[in-house]
Amino acid sequence: QVQLAESGGGLVQAGGSLRLSCAASGRTLRTYAMGWFRQAPGKEREFVAGVSWSGIGKDYVESVKGRFTISKNNAANTVYLQMNSLKPEDTAVYYCAAATNIGSVRTGKIDYWGQGTQVTVSS
């Protein structure tokens, strides 16, 4: 069993930056691909970014490419999402997720979810 805990959300002005963290406990993340999803009010949860178990393979939804960076620190059992040039449309609850491989992350076949952290971008 893996427990995931997100942190780092908050309120930021458009154009600003935030760094989300996802700390795991219970089991090592070394063998899991990880991802970030988000859910805005009235919308379905959507894939944002994914990283392979090694930290090398990465995948992003088109709308965040060039602005967001996902990274994985297996030694620290933590995954990060660096978000730059934030836009009001990035406002959502952001969820951390663990899956068998990066393909499963992309398609939402998730083994474990975090509880979410709110990101609000003001215009």
Side-chain angles (χ1 to χ4, degrees):
Q1 192 77 0
V2 175
Q3 292 80 42
L4 302 173
E6 302 94 335
S7 61
L11 173 64
V12 64
Q13 289 188 336
S17 299
L18 282 175
R19 188 194 196 204
L20 304 183
S21 298
C22 173
S25 60
R27 291 184 64 179
T28 177
L29 291 182
R30 194 174 300 275
T31 59
Y32 286 95
M34 300 297 296
W36 289 94
F37 290 73
R38 65 187 179 188
Q39 187 168 19
K43 295 187 177 181
E44 293 189 354
R45 190 176 300 187
E46 67 168 349
F47 166 81
V48 175
V51 61
S52 64
W53 67 269
S54 66
I56 296 175
K58 298 181 182 182
D59 189 18
Y60 299 93
V61 69
E62 192 65 33
S63 61
V64 308
K65 284 182 180 178
R67 300 189 298 122
F68 290 12
T69 302
I70 188 170
S71 59
K72 187 172 187 266
N73 185 332
N74 285 329
N77 232 23
T78 303
V79 178
Y80 305 96
L81 186 67
Q82 177 67 44
M83 305 186 294
N84 299 328
S85 302
L86 282 160
K87 304 175 180 180
E89 51 264 43
D90 294 318
T91 295
V93 177
Y94 283 72
Y95 296 90
C96 176
T100 303
N101 54 64
I102 195 171
S104 293
V105 173
R106 192 53 148 105
T107 57
K109 297 176 183 177
I110 302 301
D111 295 324
Y112 302 103
W113 290 98
Q115 83 287 351
T117 185
Q118 176 70 46
V119 171
T120 303
V121 184
S122 63
S123 57

